[in-house]
Amino acid sequence: MSAFPKEFLWGAASAAYQVEGAHDADGKGPSIWDTFSHLPGTTYQGTNGDVAVDHYHRFREDVALMAEMGMQSYRFSISWPRLLPQGRGTVNEAGVKFYSDLIDALLEHNIEPMITLYHWDLPQALQDEGGWEARSTAEAFEEYARLCYQRYGDRVKLWSTFNETVCFIGFGYITGGHPPGVQNPARAIQACHHVFVAHAKAVAAFRTSGIAGQIGFVNVLQTHTPLSQSAEDLAAYQLAEGIFTHWLYDPVLKGEYPAELLAQTQALWGVPQFAPGDEQLLRDNICDFIGLNYYKRETIAANNQESHLTINTTGEKGSGHQQGNEFGFKGLFKFVRNPNGVYTDWDWEIYPQGLTEGIMNIKARYGDIPIYITENGLGAKDPIIDGEVVDDDRIDYLRQHIGAIEDAIKQGADVRGYYPWSFIDLLSWLNGFQKQYGFIYVDHNKDLARQRKKSFFWYQKLIASNGAE
Ligand code: BGP
């Protein structure tokens, strides 16, 4: 017997841009990722989501595979410009129908849908008006959220507003590696504030919608450890905690920014600027649950060298952590290789205990908030032996992380579901199709044929035994 409660949800996750394809089908408008991925040099070998794994046309086959694996819940995102090609205003009914059919197919197989409203594919039309830097985008988001509640709220109980602010704001406005490709911390902070405002407005609208469900926010669970106990490394570690945890979780779980950091950024850059009522809005709209995406631990050190902002997107081990050239920000901190750590080919440290530690940190800071592990997985180039995808490393990775969740539950955390990334091999934003995460392999040389991996059968057994295996 495992420690998992019997109503625990065993699921898997994906995001619209990474699986759907059909980028201009049936009236869909372009998103910022459609634009960005077509610019030269932005993604691995120019890969993009034009076709992705064509889930848009094959979703019935995919849902049947999910059901065969025994999945009890499916976390997917809605493409905002598929529903509202201009970001607001005219509704594209064909786009509405796609998700409606997907939801029905899931429910027919007893798979609980969990919707993410925003997994990074902002309508290009809104970016042209300023994107998240414009407050009007928060208002458009509220309109979009209301439309989703209206059309799907009769069938969908689990909702989250945003996926991983740290990525789409951090990469979008600080490193410039994601759209809109800006490198300006002050602009990042203001854009991030509008995301919190949009979230709070969407939560408020949810609470008046009458939907019998829950709404949350999904963040990266970034577990940090200092490289050494030196005063400099400890200060860098504290700062990283402040930015990656407190700044990004406090506004949605406590309804306010961490006071000290807020005072510092306002003194330094004059941001975030609040509109009248913003503080009250945040305070009044605390989430029902938090979604945690955990892949790796980060080792933090002080950084006096120049900022270095590129990451390993090739899968060439070691390229992301070259000594003296690590990803980091001058004067703040850098992410360094842990000399005793085990790393993936993309230089992500595999550290399952970090998931237990991270969950317990969240509980310590925010109390008994319900938790879903909304992403967790191993990105790898899977071995194919005699035509079979033998992804033993993935099985090991997932097994250890499930054990880490079980430990957190034993220590009193209210973890309600687990969504490995991902149910199928899909497009990795900057790493193309070579970085595989799924239980199902997709053959890009054979009409995108689906094939069950070894992990598919392993997860099937694990679900059937409620985590006991
Ligand atoms: C998360 C994103 C996912 C997914 C995953 C793996 O940050 O929410 O969309 O892509 O990371 O990342 P990558 O594809 O870069 O390996």
Side-chain angles (χ1 to χ4, degrees):
M1 261 255 301
S2 73
F4 292 100
K6 67 175 185 328
E7 58 285 2
F8 191 85
L9 288 177
W10 296 100
S14 78
Y17 183 71
Q18 297 178 276
V19 290
E20 286 177 5
H23 70 112
D24 59 357
D26 304 333
K28 175 181 170 291
S31 79
I32 54 174
W33 271 94
D34 291 316
T35 310
F36 182 78
S37 63
H38 283 94
L39 300 175
T42 52
T43 63
Y44 178 74
Q45 296 185 343
T47 38
N48 61 57
D50 288 4
V51 176
V53 295
D54 203 24
H55 180 65
Y56 185 78
H57 295 111
R58 294 176 180 240
F59 75 92
R60 290 187 196 282
E61 176 189 352
D62 290 341
V63 172
L65 283 163
M66 293 178 202
E68 183 187 328
M69 192 161 60
M71 267 168 60
Q72 298 163 343
S73 185
Y74 175 43
R75 172 179 182 246
F76 61 94
S77 77
I78 293 183
S79 159
W80 182 351
R82 203 180 281 294
L83 262 48
L84 294 162
Q86 294 301 312
R88 61 166 82 82
T90 311
V91 176
N92 176 33
E93 291 298 337
V96 173
K97 181 173 179 322
F98 166 67
Y99 297 105
S100 188
D101 290 349
L102 171 63
I103 291 164
D104 285 344
L106 291 167
L107 292 173
E108 273 161 31
H109 287 96
N110 292 318
I111 300 172
E112 184 85 52
M114 178 192 260
I115 286 180
T116 312
L117 289 171
Y118 187 82
H119 203 126
W120 308 354
D121 44 356
L122 184 74
Q124 181 63 46
L126 294 181
Q127 186 60 48
D128 296 342
E129 295 173 19
W132 289 110
E133 289 180 79
R135 201 181 166 83
S136 52
T137 297
E139 275 131 33
F141 182 78
E142 183 188 345
E143 179 183 329
Y144 158 61
R146 282 181 192 279
L147 173 68
C148 295
Y149 303 155
Q150 244 172 38
R151 302 303 183 95
Y152 311 129
D154 56 338
R155 288 159 289 165
V156 178
K157 295 197 272 256
L158 290 172
W159 298 76
S160 59
T161 52
F162 287 89
N163 180 72
E164 295 188 352
T165 332
V166 72
C167 288
F168 74 92
I169 295 294
F171 292 138
Y173 291 89
I174 296 181
T175 73
H178 281 197
V182 173
Q183 293 190 320
N184 182 317
R187 288 171 64 184
I189 290 166
Q190 191 60 38
C192 190
H193 179 65
H194 291 148
V195 170
F196 292 138
V197 168
H199 163 77
K201 283 174 178 286
V203 171
F206 186 81
R207 301 232 159 106
T208 55
S209 70
I211 297 176
Q214 293 200 309
I215 188 152
F217 193 94
V218 174
N219 261 331
V220 172
L221 178 66
Q222 196 147 299
T223 309
H224 302 112
T225 188
L227 177 66
S228 77
Q229 294 300 310
S230 74
E232 294 78 15
D233 284 349
L234 285 175
Y237 159 77
Q238 292 295 355
L239 190 58
E241 274 291 292
I243 294 172
F244 293 111
T245 305
H246 308 164
W247 192 272
L248 297 174
Y249 284 75
D250 284 14
V252 299
L253 292 181
K254 294 173 106 179
E256 62 189 20
Y257 284 91
E260 210 176 304
L261 268 183
L262 179 65
Q264 283 168 2
T265 56
Q266 287 186 326
L268 196 59
W269 290 307
V271 286
Q273 283 170 8
F274 297 120
D278 279 2
E279 283 150 304
Q280 191 64 40
L281 184 72
L282 295 186
R283 267 199 298 277
D284 287 346
N285 292 290
I286 309 274
C287 294
D288 297 325
F289 70 85
I290 188 80
L292 305 177
N293 294 353
Y294 179 77
Y295 291 87
K296 58 183 161 133
R297 174 172 75 163
E298 298 287 3
T299 301
I300 305 293
N303 185 29
N304 298 318
Q305 52 191 42
E306 287 307 312
S307 297
H308 175 67
L309 302 178
T310 53
I311 50 173
N312 172 354
T313 56
T314 59
E316 190 192 321
K317 203 166 184 161
S319 61
H321 276 286
Q322 277 153 10
Q323 221 187 343
N325 213 14
E326 295 104 339
F327 184 93
F329 302 90
K330 187 176 182 183
L332 300 181
F333 44 72
K334 60 183 173 182
F335 299 98
V336 300
R337 200 176 187 87
N338 170 4
N340 307 313
V342 178
Y343 281 84
T344 72
D345 287 347
W346 272 266
D347 298 313
W348 291 19
E349 189 190 2
I350 301 177
Y351 186 70
Q353 302 94 298
L355 179 51
T356 318
E357 289 165 17
I359 293 171
M360 298 320 290
N361 285 344
I362 294 294
K363 183 172 157 64
R365 189 171 175 91
Y366 302 107
D368 284 324
I369 180 91
I371 291 171
Y372 291 86
I373 306 304
T374 34
E375 287 181 32
N376 172 240
L378 175 71
K381 296 170 192 162
D382 292 336
I384 302 188
I385 303 171
D386 294 336
E388 296 296 317
V389 185
V390 189
D391 54 343
D392 287 316
D393 291 349
R394 174 161 306 104
I395 294 173
D396 276 357
Y397 179 100
L398 296 176
R399 183 184 277 135
Q400 291 181 54
H401 286 80
I402 289 168
I405 297 168
E406 197 172 4
D407 287 346
I409 291 175
K410 285 183 191 151
Q411 291 173 43
D414 182 7
V415 188
R416 300 189 177 184
Y418 179 58
Y419 297 78
W421 185 266
S422 66
F423 87 94
I424 198 165
D425 285 348
L426 40 66
L427 175 71
S428 171
W429 303 94
L430 299 180
N431 309 273
F433 294 101
Q434 49 152 6
K435 193 178 188 187
Q436 297 160 271
Y437 279 98
F439 295 110
I440 296 162
Y441 169 73
V442 176
D443 192 340
H444 287 265
N445 297 316
K446 218 170 91 190
D447 192 28
L448 303 178
R450 273 61 170 151
Q451 183 179 335
R452 297 160 189 80
K453 299 185 190 177
K454 188 171 175 185
S455 59
F456 178 99
F457 300 103
W458 169 80
Y459 196 44
Q460 187 181 51
K461 262 177 74 184
L462 182 121
I463 296 173
S465 64
N466 197 27
E469 237 190 297

